[in-house]
Amino acid sequence: MTTSHRVHRARSTKLPFWNAVGRVWLAAAVLVAAGCDALEPPAFRTNQLQLEACEIAPAYQREISQTLTALFGTPDHPSVPAATDLDQALLNLAAGAPGSDLQGANYGLYRKHCAQCHGVTGDGRGPTARFQNPYPRDYRPGVFKFKSTHHSAQPTDDDLRRVLRQGVPGTAMPAFSLPATELAALVEYVKYLSIRGQLETALIRYVQDELGEEAPADQAGDATRVPLDPATHHAQHETVLQILAEDVMAGWRAAPQLIVLPAPAEVPAEDRAEILAAVAAGRELFYGTRANCARCHDPEDGSRPVERDYWNQAHQDFLDDLAALASSIEKRRLSPGGRDQAWQADLLRLSRGQTVAASLYPVRQVLPRDLSLGTYRGGHRRIDIFRRISAGIAGTPMPSCGPTSSGAPGALTETEIWQLVDYVLSLPAEKN
Amino acid sequence: MLALLGTCLTLPAAAAQWGTLTGRLVFAGTPPTPQPVQVHQDTPYCGQQQLVDETLVVGQEGSLANVFVYLYVQRGQSVEVHPDLAPPPTEPVVLENKGCRFQPHACLVRTGQTLEIRNADVGIGHNTNAQALLTNPKFNEQVSHATPILKTFKKSEPYPIELACNVHPWMKGYVLIRDNPYMAVSDATGHFKISKLPAGQHPFIFWHEASGNLRALPVGNTHTSRRGRARLTIPAGQTLDVGAIRVPASMVGGTP
């Protein structure tokens, strides 16, 4: 952010909602003036891949960052937009540098426990992330794998707390034994980073689809562009709050009503006499094409396609688009009159894209779980396995086999899903 | 007499506030040879289907299929919809997993209309994965032969959305979900038609799966912007035929 921009913003007439941004910049300006560059507080990283993929011009990139700072504050001083229902006191416990006071209360919990892997921004790119497989979760798309809710639904607070307390077996995510308040603070902060990341994506799309279109492509500079400036632009202010409430928060609010709850009468007891029959029926389903489990989970089947999860696929798509752009540039370079203005612009776009690509970690495959190991990332309770099969695993190739909302028909009945649960839980023993 | 003339002039205008947009997409380049896909899954069945890559489908005389053409509507605004088209159609849009491919390859769905996803391949398991949905809840569901998936959507999607089957990685389909009826996809002859549009000037998006928004595309007497939008004027009671729209090969990953 340039100084001139800061001055411009300070002069503008702001709607009351956006006043916080002035304070943040004032603090930053004081730090710079005092020569404290070396002690610059951690900042949230922008979503470079999306900004580049959506061809967001540098001026808009700055304005998106400023809009997010105005709403969500900084890693040291988080703020809470009213529309989010987030608890400021809990966020204060989780944010900032780690430390404790004389009474033994701990602060800076996120940077103490989480940021090494998940990054200050929650983009799953902390210092240790490169060396992990699977990579730590990037919270920004708001997609979470291990939860009690239907496929597309957000996790509940209890789901996030459970992942913290149990860890994710078979991955680098450890179990955290922390006081209830500290767990609550971390849950709140993960939601904060996720909501912030979702809004960032929504703003990028808003800028891409709604702003800047009127400027003719061949006009030099961006003199006629409509800036993203909700602080002074009332319609934009309304739109941003609407996006936050309707496109981002609605999903988080609805989560507690979208829990996958099998009918109590259908839940078979673990120690019943007929369990062997259920295991046999589950095995039938496992290898049949209706459930089609064996297609991915049969370790004997070597014909598995290369698959990527939602996060790695986004990286791969970005790389594929860059390759297509490079190929198109090369073809046009050789054709008569091919090196026109559009060609020059694409060349610049390719160069910027390659810089972003170089900063990405290698794209990794997503592997179907080896069920003979008895390690269940989302929990080993029967209800956990039931929910993995019924709702699928969001962000992965694992599809929902049960209803995707309460009352809807699913590919399998609850009885059949319980049979699969029995079979899956028998697999480690079958192997030995 | 003057009053009569006035009536004569106004009546047809009031009754003809609607018009049609039509045109034909043409691939300007060497027609691609359909590339067979490598089948490693369910080979006894899928391997018999003579499957080819469907990213670029060029037919007779350069006809370019699967180009989506649709009305751009700014966020927070809505378009006047012809009374005949106001309620979403009650019949579902049927998308079949058939012969180890999505049929049709590209389809159009209104908000409130049902998208019925079927598995016509007996003894073959398919899933339909719509991770790319931007405004509607993402889904990824197992499709059994017995029970089709029924989906309805509440919000417009800004662009066509890719559908995938994770069991058969070559399977790709595209669906455009809009809250208005003003959308089309070019057929095997390259033609598209959008009827009963409100007369006047509107931006239309031109989109193809190989490159997304088709930018700097010559359409009639104008060309698309960097967002793939062309401003076209729909004449009241008449049809605007923009004629052949020549899509440069390099724009959709083909050979000039």
Side-chain angles (χ1 to χ4, degrees), chain A residues 325-355:
Chain A
L325 181 64
S327 153
S328 158
I329 286 172
E330 184 59 18
K331 276 179 192 163
R332 284 182 287 159
R333 187 178 72 82
L334 299 169
S335 71
R339 282 185 264 182
D340 55 5
Q341 210 169 13
W343 184 84
Q344 305 279 354
D346 281 354
L347 205 60
L348 273 177
R349 187 151 68 92
L350 179 66
S351 156
R352 284 196 310 268
Q354 284 168 337
T355 306

Side-chain angles (χ1 to χ4, degrees), chain A residues 28-161:
Chain A
V30 168
L31 274 180
V32 172
C36 293
D37 282 359
L39 296 175
E40 203 171 316
F44 288 124
R45 193 152 45 191
T46 58
N47 196 329
Q48 279 303 316
L49 186 148
Q50 276 184 348
L51 288 167
E52 206 46 61
C54 295
E55 298 175 48
I56 306 298
Y60 279 126
Q61 296 198 13
R62 282 196 298 277
E63 288 159 8
I64 290 169
S65 286
Q66 287 158 6
T67 303
L68 287 169
T69 305
L71 283 166
F72 291 91
T74 65
D76 279 348
H77 301 286
S79 54
V80 183
T84 62
D85 304 336
L86 290 166
D87 184 315
Q88 180 75 55
L90 286 175
L91 291 184
N92 290 346
L93 276 182
S100 51
D101 62 17
L102 288 171
Q103 283 72 43
N106 294 315
Y107 298 93
L109 300 168
Y110 180 79
R111 265 180 255 170
K112 182 176 181 185
H113 297 296
C114 318
Q116 296 89 333
C117 300
H118 292 281
V120 166
T121 311
D123 54 3
R125 296 198 42 188
T128 64
R130 179 186 279 278
F131 309 105
Q132 293 178 21
N133 193 2
Y135 290 130
R137 181 65 47 248
D138 171 1
Y139 307 135
R140 298 171 302 172
V143 176
F144 293 82
K145 286 184 181 176
F146 304 118
K147 57 196 180 62
S148 61
T149 52
H150 284 289
H151 187 89
S152 61
Q154 243 62 51
T156 64
D157 287 7
D158 281 346
D159 290 336
L160 293 174
R161 187 165 20 247

